[in-house]
Amino acid sequence: RRTGTDPRAVLLAAAAAYAHRLTGGTDIVLGMPVDGRTSRAARRTPGAAADVAALRTEVTPGTVFTRLAREISRESRRVRRHQRFRHEELCVRLGVADRSGGGLYGPVVDVRTAAHEIRFGVHPASVRRAGAEGPGELRVVIEEDPADRTLSITFSGSAARYTPAELDAHRARFGQLLASAVAAPDSPVGALALLGADERRTVLSWAQGSGPSPAPWSAGALVPDLLDEAAGRYPDAVAVADASGTLTYRELDERANKLARLLVERGAGPERVVGLLLPRSAQTIVAMAAVLKAGAAYLPLDPAYPADRLRFMVRDARPVCVLTDTAGAERGVADASLLVLDDARTAAEWERRSPAPLTGADRTAPLLPAHPAYVIYTSGSSGTPKGVVVPHGNLEALIAWAREELGPAALEHTLAATSFSFDVSVAEIFPALTCGGRVEVVRDLLALLDGDPPRWSGGLVCAIPSVLAKLTEDGGLDLSAGTLAMAGEALPLALTERIRETMPGTRLLNVYGPTEATVYATRWADGATPDGVTPPIGRPLGHVRTYVLDACLQPVEPGRPGELYLAGDGLARGYLRRPGLSAERFVADPFGPPGERMYRTGDLVRWRENGELDFLGRIDAQVKFRGFRIELGEVESVLARHEAVAEAVCAVREDADGEPRLTAYVVPSAASADSAAPEPEGVRAGPEALRRWLAERLPAYLVPAAFTVLAELPRTPSGKLDREALPVPGPLSAVTRA
């Protein structure tokens, strides 16, 4: 009555709202059964005339349910007027493949209302449809019982895609949404409840930080204090080592204190930035510590970066000065005041300063947890890099977690192999330097191959999975580490199993976190997941909260993909001098205390039934191809489980003729590449073997049409996948090797 429509329109509107909430799509096309009889004569003629018509409507989170019901009512009347155009004929005319009987629509919603009760004499009768339902992926049947005027809701679908439990869960959640709409019909679709109270409580409890609770530091103990404390406890222990030599804790502390005083004289302090245009060495670690002790934020400027990018970062960050060497000064990328550390005059000034630890009175202002500790630039979707500002308090929380989670043994000897321009370097350096550990600085992980034989042994190694795979599989590196922390990309099952075989006794962690969440936000430790299962990214750290939300910012149930939002003590302050972008990505946390924020990662994840998170890919990797909304990460994760595939990437690319194709790019495993195994083993068996394997696990529209085998995936200088560099797909009939 509130909508001014019939019950059928209300039920169809609920189905459209449900489809929107599940998929996030705003262009919703339902399948609506019609009788196919447009004239009085046709209605009197026996025979099969029924059809399914496409009912299209637009749904957004802000669409009011009553308005949606009225729109559905109008559109359904319009559709019925054109039902003489049969679905199969329309598919042929439009050139749309009629896959699974639903070329033009998604779920079929069959609302079966009874006008009156049917009886045979004194005996009541019920109506049942004979024969199988249509072959569509998902079908919703809503039947009215004329006896008591109640509704029964049934979800059915392909057994290859839906288990009975999943279909029952769909029915329960649809019923929950329908009940919410009836109770508050003037609510926006985004506010309608999908989860029951118990299920919502469960997923929100999973969002809370887990694992060891970091021991609280003494009041006011920020990173400079922790470095001073470590120097007092372990003065003669080796703190930093590189190819040229070592520095003890006393040497590191005194040099950093002297340089910090020099920086304060140059204007460095809280809310100020100091650039570091220095090569990878122990000297750079000294410079980092000096900037932090001065109370400023360090800005790493990688000498390997192009000059134009370095100039942009310096102009954007506006550092009070830039620490560099003679080679860096000659590049002319910094307009700010340069402090050339290998210059004789600078060295003399440096040496004259006091080696005593700095106090609040020595700095330009008291140092607080909210003051920036470092600024790291990340790539922007618009092509303009953005500086992420991470405060001292976040760095303290990360160090506390690392000391509790990794333990003294892992931090006793850590390998610093990550570029200082990437935040993983923070986890390689500062946890160890605050507890007496030794930090070994190398050029990169490839430098470990320079040994004869190539070998490294120590406590902690942080690595990107694809890089470690190359080192251990192709480079022959003998790696022995107490803890191996994998981050930066998905950890393949094949590499996990190889690490278990070749590095017994090593504790394997799969850690995840964007720069905006201070290095790490979730972790998974090997041993908690059965063999043969792709490692998840685990659970949130103790100081982090993780929410998996739909497009309406509502929690999603286990098994359904959603966007990952992060909250808690790890959030960055925002983007340097980018208030609009900061407000867009750092939004209000509706589940936390008043005033709390959460960060939109743009990453697609889902909860497992045990409360762990699966990483599925990027939200922006979702594409619409030939009318189907495709999560490329879903295809990639399934393809990567094939025993002959080491890495896999999917993309919609135009072939040589300009036709778009869903294309798979695969890197074969070493065993497969060297194997002469017959079909269907290995990538050498051709695209049909991989296609058949995927077809057994995915719907037809998710199976790539073309496969390209690469020796390795193209990557940017930072080690991330370079999708723009993927080659044009080859012929459909054969695997292309590039």
Side-chain angles (χ1 to χ4, degrees):
R1 287 191 298 269
R2 179 72 67 88
T3 63
T5 64
D6 61 13
R8 182 187 299 269
V10 173
L11 294 171
L12 286 170
Y18 186 69
H20 164 70
R21 291 290 301 275
L22 283 188
T23 66
T26 56
D27 186 10
I28 303 298
V29 185
L30 303 176
M32 182 180 72
V34 292
D35 59 19
R37 301 174 186 272
T38 59
S39 67
R40 184 175 300 175
R43 286 192 287 271
R44 291 199 302 265
T45 304
D51 194 16
V52 178
L55 176 63
R56 183 178 187 180
T57 190
E58 181 179 358
V59 188
T60 67
T63 301
V64 175
F65 185 78
T66 51
R67 181 179 176 182
L68 176 61
R70 287 192 286 268
E71 174 61 27
I72 288 284
S73 180
R74 286 191 297 268
E75 184 64 15
S76 61
R77 289 196 299 269
R78 190 187 68 82
V79 168
R80 289 191 182 92
R81 288 199 299 269
H82 299 283
Q83 62 180 294
R84 65 182 180 277
F85 299 107
R86 298 190 62 78
H87 178 258
E88 294 85 352
E89 181 183 351
L90 288 174
C91 287
V92 172
R93 295 287 185 89
L94 296 174
V96 177
D98 184 12
R99 293 181 176 89
S100 301
L104 295 177
Y105 51 77
V108 175
V109 183
D110 190 358
V111 180
R112 303 171 181 174
T113 58
H116 55 82
E117 183 179 3
I118 301 174
R119 303 182 70 88
F120 285 89
V122 297
H123 303 288
S126 58
V127 177
R128 293 289 181 270
R129 300 291 177 98
E133 299 286 5
E137 283 287 327
L138 187 64
R139 192 177 187 95
V140 187
V141 178
I142 306 171
E143 290 188 284
E144 180 185 3
D145 187 334
D148 56 11
R149 310 296 291 180
T150 59
L151 295 175
S152 68
I153 302 171
T154 304
F155 276 72
S156 62
S158 168
R161 288 284 289 159
Y162 302 99
T163 65
E166 289 172 334
L167 294 172
D168 287 342
H170 274 302
R171 182 184 60 78
R173 293 187 188 106
F174 176 75
Q176 178 73 38
L177 182 142
L178 183 58
S180 298
V182 171
D186 291 322
S187 298
V189 167
L192 300 178
L194 274 186
L195 305 187
D198 290 343
E199 195 169 34
R200 180 184 174 90
R201 192 178 303 112
T202 296
V203 295
L204 288 179
S205 70
W206 290 342
Q208 304 303 311
S210 61
S213 298
W217 303 107
S218 58
L222 297 177
V223 176
D225 305 304
L226 300 176
L227 294 174
D228 292 341
E229 180 184 333
R233 288 186 176 182
Y234 318 101
D236 299 319
V238 173
V240 186
D242 63 12
S244 64
T246 62
L247 290 175
T248 66
Y249 272 85
R250 178 183 289 110
E251 292 169 332
L252 170 66
D253 189 57
E254 290 181 353
R255 291 190 185 189
N257 289 336
K258 290 180 179 181
L259 183 55
R261 294 180 182 277
L262 188 57
L263 290 174
V264 171
E265 294 174 13
R266 297 293 182 100
E271 298 298 334
R272 298 296 183 92
V273 176
V274 174
L276 304 180
L277 181 58
L278 294 166
R280 295 185 61 79
S281 67
Q283 181 84 305
T284 307
I285 307 296
V286 172
M288 288 180 181
V291 174
L292 294 175
K293 284 171 175 281
Y298 72 84
L299 167 68
L301 300 165
D302 194 330
Y305 279 6
D308 286 346
R309 186 178 181 93
L310 292 174
R311 289 191 189 98
F312 169 82
M313 293 164 64
V314 171
R315 285 197 308 268
D316 190 61
R318 305 174 196 171
V320 294
C321 65
V322 174
L323 304 184
T324 187
D325 57 8
T326 302
E330 292 174 350
R331 297 191 65 182
V333 299
D335 297 329
S337 172
L338 291 179
L339 197 58
V340 183
L341 298 183
D342 58 356
D343 179 78
R345 287 174 298 181
T346 302
E349 281 191 80
W350 187 352
E351 190 58 35
R352 287 196 294 268
R353 299 304 180 273
S354 168
L358 279 74
T359 65
D362 296 318
R363 301 186 180 104
T364 59
L367 181 60
L368 302 175
H371 285 142
Y374 59 84
V375 178
I376 285 183
Y377 276 77
T378 64
S379 298
S381 58
S382 63
T384 301
K386 52 190 184 294
V388 181
V389 181
V390 176
H392 274 266
N394 291 27
L395 186 51
E396 176 198 354
L398 175 73
I399 293 171
W401 169 80
R403 291 176 61 155
E404 291 292 329
E405 174 72 34
L406 304 179
L411 298 177
E412 184 178 3
H413 182 189
T414 68
L415 183 68
T418 305
S419 167
F420 297 142
S421 292
F422 295 96
D423 66 338
V424 170
S425 63
V426 175
E428 294 175 330
I429 297 169
F430 292 108
L433 290 183
T434 58
C435 65
R438 171 183 177 179
V439 177
E440 181 180 350
V441 182
V442 297
R443 183 185 72 248
D444 52 31
L445 278 176
L446 294 175
L448 300 182
L449 298 178
D450 296 340
D452 187 19
R455 177 182 301 153
W456 189 86
S457 178
L460 173 66
V461 173
C462 302
I464 296 174
S466 58
V467 175
L468 184 74
K470 283 288 182 185
L471 288 174
T472 57
E473 187 173 340
D474 301 334
L477 174 66
D478 180 11
L479 183 64
S480 175
T483 300
L484 184 59
M486 309 297 284
E489 61 189 23
L491 176 59
L493 175 60
L495 178 58
T496 303
E497 293 176 339
R498 186 159 72 248
I499 291 171
R500 290 167 177 162
E501 294 173 2
T502 61
M503 300 177 65
T506 294
R507 184 173 184 240
L508 175 62
L509 299 179
N510 189 27
V511 283
Y512 160 89
T515 305
E516 291 84 349
T518 314
V519 191
Y520 299 142
T522 72
R523 54 69 91 183
W524 166 85
D526 195 14
T529 301
D531 292 345
V533 177
T534 300
I537 58 173
R539 294 183 169 89
L541 308 188
H543 58 284
V544 178
R545 299 191 301 276
T546 56
Y547 307 119
V548 185
L549 308 179
D550 62 16
C552 304
L553 297 184
Q554 295 294 325
V556 303
E557 70 278 4
R560 177 154 67 95
E563 184 173 0
L564 177 61
Y565 287 73
L566 301 175
D569 294 336
L571 286 198
R573 284 188 9 176
Y575 300 114
L576 186 65
R577 287 184 247 285
R578 304 282 291 277
L581 183 60
S582 297
E584 176 186 335
R585 304 302 298 182
F586 294 86
V587 299
D589 178 2
F591 312 103
E596 287 283 300
R597 301 172 304 148
M598 60 182 184
Y599 170 66
R600 296 182 57 188
T601 67
D603 288 328
L604 195 69
V605 300
R606 66 182 166 214
W607 289 114
R608 289 185 174 182
E609 292 293 342
N610 63 354
E612 293 184 326
L613 288 166
D614 273 329
F615 179 81
L616 303 178
R618 291 288 299 169
I619 292 289
D620 51 21
Q622 184 185 79
V623 297
K624 196 165 186 179
F625 179 61
R626 293 181 179 172
F628 291 88
R629 192 173 297 277
I630 294 173
E631 298 289 355
L632 297 176
E634 181 179 5
V635 186
E636 292 166 354
S637 64
V638 174
L639 188 55
R641 293 204 296 266
H642 193 287
E643 61 183 9
V645 175
E647 294 182 275
V649 170
C650 289
V652 175
R653 300 293 303 272
E654 290 187 354
D655 61 16
D657 297 326
E659 288 294 322
R661 291 189 197 163
L662 181 58
T663 303
Y665 298 87
V666 296
V667 176
S669 63
S672 173
D674 298 336
S675 172
E679 290 196 22
E681 306 292 336
V683 173
R684 287 186 174 183
E688 290 305 321
L690 290 174
R691 191 175 289 115
R692 287 195 301 268
W693 193 82
L694 285 176
E696 295 172 358
R697 295 160 175 81
L698 294 171
Y701 66 87
L702 287 179
V703 177
F707 292 77
T708 299
V709 177
L710 303 174
E712 59 183 11
L713 296 177
R715 298 191 178 276
T716 64
S718 67
K720 294 183 178 180
L721 175 68
D722 187 355
R723 288 185 177 270
E724 296 301 319
L726 292 169
V728 174
L732 290 173
S733 58
V735 169
T736 300
R737 294 188 175 268

